[in-house]
């Protein structure tokens, strides 16, 4: 189910909510948790994606602060290195490019937290290198990898999503091999526990993952088309920029 704002209105809460909501330029829609269940939200941010301007991050933080009890911004630091390696860069090159872009992104996130003012004390920066230390993370990632190895339809969609990422991250002229594609899937396996098992991972009632666009893989996951499915209390939201 997809809910969109009425023409000319700022967001779905302006259109359908029963209380006044602050207008902004972010319309968040799809798989929103029910009222009273908006406990935890994860905003996914990509180091090389120009979508994540300081203004857009600020808008997302303001919205999250208004509608959730706790928020964090996820940055895939180490998994980005794996993707660049799979795209033909040496390890040293991948580390250098990733560190530079992650530092740039983190600075924007820090400034956005300051601009969000009252949200600053309830919004954490969550790099993957910290997430991997969470107690249940290893088991949840293993569940994703098991599904990839045993569910051919899930594997096919994971590889398709990975190909899309690699197309924008590979070195110019580099010809991808099947081994490169399998290596790049590690990026996806690293993120899926956040998207599928947030309540267990963060030990909360509900968890909502926000991203700037949909993927066929995610749509099929939330439609229950694979052997692996989102757990109860897990939600997914797409952030649409209004014209």
């Amino acid at each position: 189910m997809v809910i969109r704002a009425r023409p000319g209105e700022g967001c779905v809460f302006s259109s359908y909510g029963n209380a006044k909501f602050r207008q902004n330029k972010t319309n968040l829609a799809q798989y929103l948790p029910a009222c009273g269940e908006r406990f935890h939200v994860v905003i996914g941010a990509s180091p090389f994606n120009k979508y994540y301007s300081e203004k857009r991050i600020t808008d997302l933080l303001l919205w999250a602060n208004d509608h959730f009890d706790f928020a964090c911004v996820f940055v895939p630091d180490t998994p980005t290195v794996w993707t660049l390696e799979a795209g033909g860069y040496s390890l040293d090159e991948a580390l250098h490019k990733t560190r530079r872009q992650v530092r740039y992104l983190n600075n924007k996130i820090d400034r956005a937290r300051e601009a969000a003012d009252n949200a600053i004390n309830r919004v954490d920066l969550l790099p993957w290198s910290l997430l991997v230390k969470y107690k249940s993370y290893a088991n949840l990632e293993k569940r994703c990898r098991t599904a990839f190895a045993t569910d051919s339809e899930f594997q096919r969609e994971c590889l398709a999503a990975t190909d899309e990422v690699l197309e924008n991250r590979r070195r110019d002229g580099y010809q991808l091999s099947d081994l490169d594609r399998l290596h790049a899937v590690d990026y996806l396996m690293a993120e899926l526990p956040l998207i599928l098992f947030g309540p267990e991972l963060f030990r909360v009632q509900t968890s909502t993952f926000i991203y700037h666009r949909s993927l066929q893989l995610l749509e099929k996951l939330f439609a229950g088309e694979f052997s692996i499915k989102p757990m109860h209390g897990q939600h997914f939201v797409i952030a649409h920029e209004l014209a």
Side-chain angles (χ1 to χ4, degrees), residues 89-204:
Y89 291 93
S90 68
L91 176 58
D92 287 343
E93 290 173 319
L95 285 169
H96 175 72
K97 289 172 69 69
T98 298
R99 286 168 180 165
R100 182 180 59 191
Q101 287 298 317
V102 167
R103 184 164 55 247
Y104 176 59
L105 176 60
N106 287 347
N107 287 338
K108 287 192 290 185
I109 293 170
D110 286 342
R111 291 193 296 269
R113 291 172 68 192
E114 293 177 3
D117 192 23
N118 63 336
I120 189 170
N121 293 323
R122 297 197 296 112
V123 178
D124 287 337
L125 181 63
L126 181 64
W128 180 86
S129 53
L130 175 61
L131 176 70
V132 72
K133 298 177 182 178
Y134 279 41
K135 185 176 181 180
S136 60
Y137 178 84
N139 286 334
L140 297 176
E141 184 185 1
K142 183 178 179 181
R143 288 174 61 181
C144 297
R145 291 185 179 277
T146 299
F148 181 81
T150 58
D151 186 333
S152 60
E153 290 298 318
F154 178 61
Q155 181 181 116
R156 185 177 297 110
E157 288 297 337
C158 286
L159 288 170
T162 298
D163 288 342
E164 188 175 342
V165 173
L166 281 175
E167 187 60 31
N168 299 316
R169 296 289 179 269
R170 65 184 176 90
R171 182 190 289 276
D172 289 344
Y174 183 75
Q175 297 299 314
L176 297 170
S177 67
D178 289 340
L179 188 60
D180 290 329
R181 296 174 71 216
L182 287 173
H183 182 32
V185 166
D186 288 343
Y187 183 107
L188 190 57
M189 295 298 110
E191 286 195 350
L192 280 177
L194 285 163
I195 301 171
L196 298 178
F197 309 120
E200 183 174 345
L201 185 61
F202 298 105
R203 299 182 181 180
V204 294

Side-chain angles (χ1 to χ4, degrees), residues 70-85:
F70 176 76
C72 62
V73 182
F74 171 68
V75 176
D77 48 4
T78 305
T80 299
V81 176
W82 303 336
T83 301
L84 292 177
E85 280 190 283

